[in-house]
């Protein structure tokens, strides 16, 4: 339990804004980091935007797999846009203040989109499972209506939980320090500033993490255990190679995203070096969305062909 309601803090003025410290501990690198993250942001927008465009205009990419990939690329654009523009502004202006309303809004959207990403990765794993383990039933099982329902479920399922969690967190009184040792309004550093008992909030955070991070991850592992078992039974080496190539890109994205996110939110919070959360957060908030289009495009012949067609036109 975190008890911050000490007698000496009760008479302090309640905070109306926070200060995001982001990378204030390395002042000599501020402009270098600004340039680096600006380039990364542009790469993310262009690469994910290109994949989204290709899946919409190329006839060869009109399948359930690319329908999910289009949604995933669209999601990644919004996912990074919740945190990166604010961080760039802070690095450029050195004005790191953020109001409670803006902080709550950022947190809510970030976790809604993060929940969507977890569920969408699970949906993509299910799509590969049906395609490889039940190829004859694939067109019937993964019809257009089912695909839309799965995507809608991924986008909408986490909304009430994350809105409720954000409301619960920002119902706490915040007094004393208003310094957030992070580059966005993440749950753990915000809870540290609460003046009351945050035990309920921590239980809620853990429960939602298990439901929307750990459970989809276990479903993905279950899908891939069946997929790998089926692939190993294929008679020809060519068939096995082709099947592995269609799944390996998605599996790499899953490992990158889930590995960093699970470590950040489910690891013990005590005894960790200062700044560990920020480093881990960089992986699943910025680096993974940057690598995803590269992983999918460079390892996918259909996407490369579609890109060549677009460039030739």
């Amino acid at each position: 339990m975190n008890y911050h309601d000490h007698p000496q803090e009760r008479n302090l003025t309640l905070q109306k804004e926070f200060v995001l410290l982001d990378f204030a501990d390395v002042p000599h690198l501020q402009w270098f980091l600004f340039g680096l993250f600006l380039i990364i942001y542009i790469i993310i927008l262009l690469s994910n935007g290109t994949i989204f465009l290709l899946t919409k205009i190329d006839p060869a990419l009109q399948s359930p797999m690319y329908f999910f990939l289009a949604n995933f690329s669209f999601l990644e654009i919004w996912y990074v846009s919740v945190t990166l523009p604010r961080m760039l502004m802070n690095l450029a202006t050195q004005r790191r203040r953020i109001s409670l309303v803006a902080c709550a809004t950022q947190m809510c959207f970030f976790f809604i989109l993060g929940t969507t990403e977890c569920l969408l990765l699970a949906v993509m794993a299910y799509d590969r499972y049906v395609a490889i383990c039940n190829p004859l039933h694939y067109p019937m099982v993964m019809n257009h209506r089912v695909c839309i329902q799965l995507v809608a479920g991924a986008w909408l399922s986490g909304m009430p939980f994350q809105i409720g969690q954000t409301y619960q967190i920002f119902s706490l009184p915040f007094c004393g320090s208003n310094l957030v040792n992070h580059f966005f309004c993440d749950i753990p550093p915000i809870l540290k500033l609460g003046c009351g008992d945050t035990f309920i909030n921590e239980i809620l955070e853990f429960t939602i993490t298990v439901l929307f991070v750990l459970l989809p991850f276990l479903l993905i592992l279950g899908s891939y255990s069946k997929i790998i078992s089926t692939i190993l039974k294929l008679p020809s080496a060519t068939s096995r190679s082709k099947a592995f190539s269609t799944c390996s890109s998605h599996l790499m994205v899953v490992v990158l995203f889930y590995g960093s996110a699970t470590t950040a939110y489910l690891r013990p919070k005590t005894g960790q070096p200062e700044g560990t959360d920020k480093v881990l957060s960089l992986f699943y908030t910025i680096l993974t969305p940057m690598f995803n289009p590269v992983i999918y495009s460079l390892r996918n012949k259909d996407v490369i062909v579609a890109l060549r067609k677009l460039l030739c036109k």
Side-chain angles (χ1 to χ4, degrees):
M1 295 186 185
N2 290 339
Y3 293 98
H4 300 290
D5 193 12
H6 302 298
Q8 63 267 29
E9 291 181 347
R10 286 174 185 163
N11 294 326
L12 295 176
T13 304
L14 293 180
Q15 297 296 346
K16 296 182 179 179
E17 63 181 11
F18 294 128
V19 177
L20 293 170
L21 295 180
D22 51 66
F23 303 99
D25 52 338
V26 283
H28 56 290
L29 294 177
Q30 298 297 297
W31 284 107
F32 169 76
L33 292 173
F34 174 81
L36 176 65
F37 289 127
L38 179 61
I39 292 170
I40 289 174
Y41 188 44
I42 292 171
I43 290 172
I44 290 171
L45 294 182
L46 290 177
S47 56
N48 282 287
T50 300
I51 289 181
F52 179 78
L53 180 64
L54 289 175
T55 56
K56 294 300 178 184
I57 65 174
D58 195 289
L61 303 182
Q62 305 305 308
S63 67
M65 182 175 77
Y66 295 110
F67 173 73
F68 296 134
L69 181 57
N71 275 273
F72 189 71
S73 297
F74 180 73
L75 170 67
E76 293 286 61
I77 291 172
W78 289 104
Y79 182 64
V80 296
S81 296
V82 172
T83 56
L84 253 179
R86 165 70 69 169
M87 184 171 69
L88 290 171
M89 185 183 73
N90 291 346
L91 288 169
T93 64
Q94 299 299 301
R95 296 175 183 173
R96 298 186 173 90
R97 296 184 180 276
I98 182 171
S99 68
L100 259 67
V101 173
C103 189
T105 303
Q106 184 188 59
M107 179 186 289
C108 188
F109 276 101
F110 176 80
F111 283 102
I112 286 174
L113 295 172
T115 298
T116 303
E117 180 152 352
C118 292
L119 295 175
L120 198 52
L121 285 170
V123 167
M124 294 167 79
Y126 175 69
D127 171 68
R128 293 298 81 207
Y129 163 75
V130 178
I132 292 172
C133 299
N134 297 289
L136 297 179
H137 297 96
Y138 182 71
M140 181 177 64
V141 174
M142 300 302 294
N143 59 65
H144 187 62
R145 182 181 177 184
V146 170
C147 290
I148 291 175
Q149 289 173 342
L150 288 171
V151 166
W155 279 92
L156 299 174
S157 295
M159 282 188 181
F161 293 91
Q162 298 300 352
I163 291 171
Q165 177 171 238
T166 305
Y167 175 80
Q168 185 73 21
I169 290 170
F170 283 86
S171 296
L172 288 170
F174 295 99
C175 54
S177 174
N178 66 341
L179 302 179
V180 180
N181 189 22
H182 217 305
F183 58 87
F184 73 99
C185 291
D186 201 1
I187 292 175
I190 296 296
L191 283 182
K192 288 179 182 178
L193 305 181
C195 293
D197 180 11
T198 60
F199 179 71
I200 298 298
N201 301 91
E202 290 170 359
I203 291 296
L204 186 60
E205 178 199 359
F206 182 81
T207 303
I208 290 177
T209 302
V210 169
L211 282 176
F212 293 108
V213 179
L214 195 57
L215 188 58
F217 183 59
L218 293 176
L219 292 173
I220 291 171
L221 289 181
S223 296
Y224 272 101
S225 65
K226 292 284 188 181
I227 288 170
I228 292 170
S229 175
T230 302
I231 289 174
L232 293 176
K233 294 176 183 177
L234 293 175
S236 70
T238 305
S239 300
R240 290 195 295 271
S241 176
K242 186 177 179 181
F244 270 122
S245 67
T246 61
C247 299
S248 57
S249 298
H250 179 256
L251 198 55
M252 288 172 67
V253 171
V254 168
V255 170
L256 278 172
F257 179 76
Y258 275 101
S260 55
T262 307
T263 304
Y265 290 102
L266 292 181
R267 67 186 175 85
K269 303 299 181 185
T270 56
Q272 296 295 329
E274 193 74 15
T276 303
D277 286 337
K278 281 191 284 188
V279 174
L280 287 171
S281 298
L282 284 174
F283 277 93
Y284 63 85
T285 58
I286 296 172
L287 297 181
T288 302
M290 183 180 70
F291 288 132
N292 287 350
V294 177
I295 293 170
Y296 275 114
S297 59
L298 292 181
R299 299 177 62 85
N300 192 304
K301 293 179 181 178
D302 293 335
V303 174
I304 293 173
V305 171
L307 183 58
R308 285 175 180 169
K309 287 181 187 176
L310 182 65
L311 293 176
C312 290
K313 288 181 182 179

